[in-house]
């Protein structure tokens, strides 16, 4: 009789522990930020770069992520990211528009410092090996180039400048072009 | 005169090194795979799970990434991912449809093992803290739930099962529910 009672109590307790809460709340992860975030309501910045819109969807500063960070970036027609590189992995997903990705790849090419041009388009993806110098350029006169950018090991340290050769010769994390 | 000649040679050499190659080639990174990949042409699998479509856009196995991996997953109406957790960070971006994300968060909730329901929708984003048990469920009867999934530290090891409580009690990487 006593063992049956114990089994019943255990069963009721386990049921209580399993029931999901009925609230459809998305509140609150860290410092009052919602867990599920509407991307169209997130703040954007251009960091002083004309034609650029940058939104951090999930990152190290706001969301205390340590291993990965996600951005939504939009380049208006003719605009481009700086020529840069970083000691982390990066993946692009192009959502809208088209353009050119310049990549001076020490791992893929014979001559580091000499960028290859890659046509990029909506619904395409691309990854950048660690420390390869690169630049995304909206060469489409009529459309914004919109892309999701994923980086490992945030926050990223980006030495950048206007020169593929210097970027290739530059030591990782040097501050020459910061 | 000699110094001017040297400057001229250096200038011509630097110009040659800076000129991008004129081919718009996206070939070839590793084992003949194109660098820029058309997402609609990538292979998909469901890993034996009905209603799931999984495409690896960039990953450890094919693209030799070591720090981050990117998937495109689609759940048909009523289908869901397994209840699972992993010792890495994860970010979701919901592209189409709507559904429910169940999260049994040891860091956010008072009672680990008791999942909270979060409504997710197109153009929303969400991140999963390391080792929090979770499940994405397409509760919309009329639309596919499509999401980009980013994980750190690939390849992911996923102990999963049908029970939030056991997932919470389970030691990281235990094989109880593999």
């Amino acid at each position: 009789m006593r063992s049956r009672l114990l089994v019943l109590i255990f069963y009721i307790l386990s049921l209580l522990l399993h029931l999901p809460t009925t609230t459809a709340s998305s509140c609150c992860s860290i410092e009052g930020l919602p867990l599920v975030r509407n991307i169209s309501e997130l703040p954007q910045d251009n960091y002083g770069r004309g034609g650029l819109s940058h939104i951090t969807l999930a990152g190290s500063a706001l969301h205390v992520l340590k291993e990965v960070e996600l951005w939504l970036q939009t380049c208006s027609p003719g605009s481009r990211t700086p020529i840069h590189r970083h000691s982390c992995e990066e993946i692009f997903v192009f959502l809208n528009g088209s353009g050119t990705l310049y990549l001076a790849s020490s791992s893929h090419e014979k001559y580091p410092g000499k960028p290859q041009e890659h046509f990029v388009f909506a619904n395409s993806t691309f990854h950048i090996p660690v420390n390869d110098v690169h630049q995304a350029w909206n060469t489409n006169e009529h459309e914004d180039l919109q892309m999701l950018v994923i980086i490992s090991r945030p926050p990223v340290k980006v030495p950048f400048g206007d020169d593929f050769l210097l970027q290739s010769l530059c030591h990782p994390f040097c501050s020459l072009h910061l």
Side-chain angles (χ1 to χ4, degrees), chain A:
Chain A
M1 182 63 191
R2 195 177 168 191
S3 63
R4 279 189 184 175
L5 188 64
L6 283 172
V7 166
L8 183 64
I9 290 170
F10 181 79
Y11 180 66
I12 292 168
L13 277 174
S14 64
L15 272 180
L16 285 172
L17 283 166
H18 284 63
L19 282 176
T21 54
T22 51
T23 55
S25 164
S26 295
C27 192
C28 300
S29 61
I30 296 143
E31 296 172 15
L33 291 172
L35 281 174
V36 179
R37 300 177 288 279
N38 186 334
I39 292 173
S40 59
E41 293 173 357
L42 296 179
Q44 57 180 303
D45 203 336
N46 70 357
Y47 297 101
R49 197 157 186 101
L52 173 72
S53 160
H54 173 107
I55 300 172
T56 298
L57 304 194
S60 60
L62 273 178
H63 313 108
V64 202
L65 291 173
K66 294 175 182 172
E67 299 176 3
V68 67
E69 186 158 303
L70 173 64
W71 309 329
L72 177 64
Q73 291 190 324
T74 307
C75 292
S76 63
S79 69
R80 54 194 191 268
T81 66
I83 297 170
H84 68 287
R85 70 195 178 88
H86 30 66
S87 185
C88 62
E89 292 179 347
E90 184 172 34
I91 306 171
F92 287 81
V93 178
F94 295 97
L95 302 174
N96 290 304
S98 60
T100 303
L101 199 135
Y102 294 90
L103 179 67
S105 173
S106 54
S107 48
H108 303 148
E109 305 306 323
K110 285 182 183 172
Y111 310 105
K114 190 178 178 182
Q116 275 219 336
E117 297 177 27
H118 300 272
F119 177 66
V120 293
F121 49 93
N123 208 38
S124 69
T125 187
F126 192 99
H127 66 275
I128 308 287
V130 171
N131 270 323
D132 277 3
V133 186
H134 56 283
Q135 178 180 44
W137 196 316
N138 185 355
T139 47
N140 181 325
E141 292 176 11
H142 308 290
E143 275 188 295
D144 283 349
L145 178 65
Q146 191 180 46
M147 52 208 177
L148 283 167
V149 183
I150 297 131
I151 57 150
S152 62
R153 283 189 267 165
V156 68
K157 296 177 184 175
V158 182
F160 60 84
D162 298 319
D163 191 306
F164 269 89
L165 178 63
L166 284 173
Q167 282 297 315
S168 293
L169 297 175
C170 182
H171 189 272
F173 299 154
C174 76
S175 58
L176 186 61
H177 292 88
L178 274 173

